[in-house]
Amino acid sequence: MSRCPAATGSAWREGRCSRAAPSEGLRDIGAFNIRIARDVRGAAAPLLPHIADRARRSVLSTLIVAPPQQGKTTMLRDIIRAVSYGDWPMPEARNWPARKVGVVDERSEIAACVRGVPVFDVGPRTDVLDACPKAEGMMMLLRSMSPELLAADEIGRPEDADAIREAAHAGVPVIATAHAGDLQDARGRTAIRRLLDEGAFAAVVELRRRGAATDVPRRAADSGGARADRACGRRWSMLKLAGAILVLLSGTLIGFRQAARYADRTAQIRQLIHALQRLETEIGFGHTPLPEALERPPRARRNRSPRCSGARRRGCAKAEPPSATPCARRSTKAGP
Amino acid sequence: MREPERSAVIRLGDALGISDREDQIRHLRLAAALLQAEEAGARDEQARYGKMWRSLGFMAALLVVILML
């Protein structure tokens, strides 16, 4: 715990895309999402008049709800800074005192402490409990640091709610942020709904980005980057699917071709036998001279495969009647 | 065309046209018988290996896909 001097600079936080197994931590890291925290001085100036507690010259207990990327933490940080410096933007608050602020920075996103020194300027009267669980941290601050304002980021668990209730009973205003699209959304979360119902917060602020991002759908729970990632992933898996189908198809086709070769061979031999039978008929009953028999129109020998008939034709033999002339011999070195 | 049926046809080509009709017919019958035996063998092989190749191709492709993914 340290009472912080002013310091500025930049800090970043990172998200990892990986399997998050509770027992093993993060595994199979595939990507990093680096989020650079932005320090916007004066971001809270327009808001402070609305959440000012004029009776006690401080700020009201406030819940800031917004989807991610809308500036919750940035706003919270600037409120802390303004209150801690006593930098009240309202004219009537010129002589309001600066207040001691207790910050429970569980995820090191508000002050971004590095070795106990906050990277961001959170004001001279600010106590930062770095990397401390919110619920216990708030109780510790309440007990020992006499804060006049408590701040915590991203509340939502039942213990957080208990601690905030405790602070409310101790008369210390609490400024907290919560992930939610809007107030309606926030009421859907049990812990937050109970806090709201009990009146632990005097004000609720919905943040919405101005300018380019205003037309981001109100409920968009993630940034465009994540959407693009998902689209890219879908395209990639489509490509893989197509590749798999192609490989499967070609493999099956090769198999069928090999099988067809066996079938072809059977058919070829059958045709050959048929052709020989025709030839036998021609010689035995038709007494057709061999060249003529071999060159019979396809009607007679339509089944003979061209290769065989070529070979046969070269064997220019005259098989017919009595004698085979010597010249009839030969050149039957057929065979392709 | 594989070796056995090719040799049968070549042998027939050698004998064809060098003798009289009966002899020729005998040669033709011989060749036909040889080829018939071959055909029976081929049919047998077709039944045995045809199916094997078909499923082998598919399975090999499946294996490759599984290895790739």
Side-chain angles (χ1 to χ4, degrees), chain A:
Chain A
M1 206 183 318
S2 57
R3 198 151 273 196
C4 308
T8 51
S10 67
W12 52 274
R13 52 199 177 132
E14 64 181 34
R16 276 158 288 199
C17 291
S18 59
R19 261 175 66 168
S23 55
E24 312 162 59
L26 296 173
R27 286 183 49 199
D28 309 340
I29 295 173
F32 288 98
N33 173 22
I34 297 176
R35 305 173 49 166
I36 296 166
R38 230 153 49 101
D39 186 25
V40 183
R41 282 160 180 271
L47 178 64
L48 273 171
H50 298 287
I51 59 169
D53 186 348
R54 287 173 173 78
R56 293 163 58 184
R57 304 205 296 170
S58 180
V59 288
L60 295 165
S61 272
T62 306
L63 178 67
I64 300 172
V65 294
Q69 281 283 295
Q70 308 295 312
K72 286 189 301 292
T73 307
T74 308
M75 180 61 80
L76 182 65
R77 189 185 301 120
D78 205 55
I79 292 173
I80 293 166
R81 179 165 46 218
V83 173
S84 184
Y85 273 112
D87 222 354
W88 306 99
M90 310 80 89
E92 76 268 25
R94 197 158 304 139
N95 51 1
W96 287 12
R99 300 292 183 181
K100 288 179 281 179
V101 185
V103 177
V104 190
D105 197 5
E106 183 174 354
R107 287 151 55 88
S108 300
E109 287 182 349
I110 303 173
C113 287
V114 178
R115 292 186 191 148
V117 180
V119 170
F120 291 122
D121 178 11
V122 286
R125 294 170 191 81
T126 303
D127 297 309
V128 179
L129 268 186
D130 189 37
C132 176
K134 278 187 283 289
E136 289 97 280
M138 276 192 267
M139 300 309 288
M140 282 160 69
L141 283 171
L142 270 179
R143 276 198 298 267
S144 55
M145 302 303 289
S146 64
E148 291 164 297
L149 174 67
L150 275 177
D153 209 6
E154 302 190 359
I155 59 160
R157 285 177 313 180
E159 308 93 87
D160 305 343
D162 290 339
I164 289 169
R165 205 170 297 126
E166 205 66 33
H169 288 309
V172 179
V174 177
I175 296 189
T177 67
H179 273 306
D182 49 26
L183 181 55
Q184 203 61 35
D185 241 12
R187 294 189 77 88
R189 298 174 64 175
T190 323
I192 295 173
R193 185 180 56 235
R194 282 184 47 208
L195 279 177
L196 290 169
D197 289 345
E198 288 165 14
F201 291 110
V204 176
V205 176
E206 284 181 22
L207 281 186
R208 186 90 48 231
R209 236 188 214 196
R210 266 198 308 252
T214 30
D215 49 5
V216 165
R218 282 166 61 92
R219 295 213 169 225
D222 46 22
S223 59
R227 263 199 303 280
D229 277 357
R230 234 179 357 222
C232 178
R234 209 176 316 134
R235 217 171 304 139
W236 177 234
S237 64
M238 288 263 288
L239 209 66
K240 276 209 293 204
L241 192 71
I245 287 174
L246 276 178
V247 168
L248 212 62
L249 219 65
S250 52
T252 313
L253 230 75
I254 290 173
F256 271 72
R257 269 216 61 77
Q258 288 290 342
R261 271 180 36 189
Y262 287 99
D264 279 354
R265 180 168 176 236
T266 321
Q268 209 176 30
I269 294 175
R270 211 171 25 237
Q271 287 173 1
L272 213 50
I273 292 170
H274 191 72
L276 290 184
Q277 271 163 0
R278 299 244 20 142
L279 191 59
E280 190 187 318
T281 317
E282 292 289 348
I283 293 170
F285 302 105
H287 295 239
T288 324
L290 196 48
E292 201 184 315
L294 292 172
E295 262 148 41
R296 269 285 158 101
R299 181 187 53 78
R301 330 174 288 118
R302 63 179 174 274
N303 281 328
R304 165 154 310 176
S305 73
R307 200 131 69 150
C308 313
S309 68
R312 232 24 86 56
R313 211 172 297 137
R314 259 183 285 138
C316 59
K318 199 182 178 105
E320 247 305 281
S323 63
T325 47
C327 85
R329 301 201 45 138
R330 254 324 33 128
S331 83
T332 5
K333 200 66 269 127

